[in-house]
Amino acid sequence: MNRRTFLRGAGVTMALPWLESIPVWGQEPKAAPPQRFAALFMGNGINQKHWWAKGSGASMELGKSLEPLSALRSRLNVVFGLYNRAAVGVGIHPGQTGNILSGASLQKGAVLRGGVSVDQVLAAHFAEETAQPSLVLGCEQPITGFHETNFSMAYSSHISWQDANSPVPMEVYPSLAFDSLFDNQGSRRTISILDRVRDEAASLQGQVSATDKSKIEEYLASVREVEKRVERTRDAKGKADEMSRNRGVQVSVMKRPDNGLPEDIREHMRLMCDILALAFQTDKTRVATLLLCRDLSGLFYPFLDVRTAHHPTSHEDEGDAYERVTRYYVGQIAYLANRLAAMPEGDKTVLDNSCLMFISNMWSGSRHDSGKLPILLLGGLGGRLETGRVLDYLPKGADDRKLCSLYLSLMERMGVKVGRFGDATSALAGL
């Protein structure tokens, strides 16, 4: 046994969070809690009018679009001025997106060619230490075909790439993502996971400290709450599959909600954030990406009183409607960060041992400007990343504000040392 232990039942394996009193015999392990990295992506830029920050620490001032992060200012880095060289001057949309995590030059035409994304470099590094190398999630189905710039729309639909030619398959269904988290397979996967591990859970709770017992109870309650919400999406997915068979049409080309995805995008995004949080809490994986909305997104936001879809709304990116959209997306990373901040791990929290990155492929959707990118970092990577800062690289020269230099810096802090990544050969100064 070690600090990470498992509960097993019929057709299911449930990893548990960090427990201070495990093992209950023998020598205490000296290993530090693991580091994690997650990238959350929003397509088509932000409302730059209200995307600003100044000051530092708990007294940092935030623009209107960043207000959801006000309680997390001491754990936040707001980064201005970085750019992805291979995404500038190549045409709008897919050419600005498919390399957002790789910095690789993309090839036009029918053959996909780009580069391995930073999340997959990290996933390979941690592959032997976790049950699942990475978690690749999305809230919108990929689209096919070609853009007018002759780039494949696959570049607009995927941010995680396993090699130069292939994106990592993205899971958009909460029920399937939840099942993968607990190895929930077979005919019993619709039966509550907690019911199947109840005996082992009761046995373990008799061996651990009072603090760990409370932690296990809170964790199991959290899993049950997510499980209940997932079950509703599982039913919708089943109906979509049946409809697909009857119509002879692939589910992936059907529109929401006929395709089985939650009709309310708010519930979809929260579920995916909750699943990601559970994956990090239990060390199921240490690397994740969440495509909240793709480039050229067709998502609608009636709950924000926004009348047009995401992409056309982004063409009025300085207007009030797109400010509400921007603030809503910042709220998603704030929600995930707060979830992780509430998870104790050693003398810190899961957020303290992680780095969450929020990024978009453009600064301005109306101008399709990718000469600088909006970037937020949350969490301190176990003390290896200083937080509570506003970092502005725009006044620096082009060679000193490379997005890939940021990735080199984060990889180095997580124990991955490579001489080059994308167009960068050195870490980002001042990070």
Side-chain angles (χ1 to χ4, degrees), residues 140-153:
E140 199 171 8
Q141 288 280 21
I143 46 177
T144 58
F146 291 88
H147 188 255
E148 61 189 35
T149 57
N150 200 28
F151 280 109
S152 169
M153 295 302 285

Side-chain angles (χ1 to χ4, degrees), residues 124-136:
H125 177 72
F126 293 120
E128 295 184 1
E129 300 180 46
T130 57
Q132 192 168 326
S134 69
L135 195 62
V136 179

Side-chain angles (χ1 to χ4, degrees), residues 264-266 300-306 324 328 332:
D264 190 335
I265 191 62
R266 293 172 293 182
F300 283 88
Y301 313 101
F303 53 90
L304 297 176
D305 193 26
V306 175
R324 293 194 296 275
Y328 167 74
Q332 304 315 299

Side-chain angles (χ1 to χ4, degrees), residues 390-401:
V390 178
L391 304 171
D392 188 2
Y393 290 89
L394 194 58
K396 299 182 181 296
D399 289 339
D400 296 320
R401 59 185 193 94

Side-chain angles (χ1 to χ4, degrees), residues 92-260:
I92 61 175
H93 290 301
Q96 298 172 302
T97 310
N99 54 13
I100 191 69
L101 295 183
S102 71
S105 296
L106 303 179
Q107 179 172 300
K108 295 183 178 182
V111 177
L112 297 176
R113 183 167 295 279
V116 180
S117 52
V118 62
D119 63 302
Q120 292 307 301
V121 175
L122 291 167
H125 177 72
F126 293 120
E128 295 184 1
E129 300 180 46
T130 57
Q132 192 168 326
S134 69
L135 195 62
V136 179
L137 305 175
C139 295
E140 199 171 8
Q141 288 280 21
I143 46 177
T144 58
F146 291 88
H147 188 255
E148 61 189 35
T149 57
N150 200 28
F151 280 109
S152 169
M153 295 302 285
Y155 294 131
S156 280
S157 302
H158 300 275
I159 60 173
S160 181
W161 292 76
Q162 58 194 353
D163 56 40
N165 310 107
S166 308
V168 179
M170 180 175 61
E171 185 52 73
V172 296
Y173 289 97
S175 59
L176 299 183
F178 182 83
D179 288 345
S180 73
L181 200 60
F182 299 103
D183 300 328
N184 189 23
Q185 303 171 3
S187 60
R188 303 192 65 179
R189 66 183 181 277
T190 58
I191 300 174
S192 173
I193 288 173
L194 299 188
D195 290 343
R196 287 180 276 164
V197 300
R198 180 178 290 118
D199 291 343
E200 283 206 0
S203 175
L204 179 65
Q205 285 177 308
Q207 303 178 53
V208 298
S209 67
T211 299
D212 280 347
K213 183 177 180 180
S214 175
K215 183 184 291 186
I216 292 172
E217 289 173 350
E218 290 176 3
Y219 168 68
L220 295 178
S222 177
V223 171
R224 182 57 181 149
E225 189 270 335
V226 174
E227 184 179 52
K228 288 180 179 178
R229 289 156 53 210
V230 162
E231 284 309 307
R232 295 193 291 270
T233 73
R234 192 187 301 282
D235 293 341
K237 176 69 166 64
K239 292 177 182 177
D241 289 340
E242 182 179 359
M243 190 182 302
S244 172
R245 289 190 295 268
N246 294 338
R247 294 180 180 178
V249 178
Q250 290 185 348
V251 172
S252 60
V253 300
M254 296 163 63
K255 292 185 178 181
R256 187 191 299 258
D258 286 350
N259 60 8

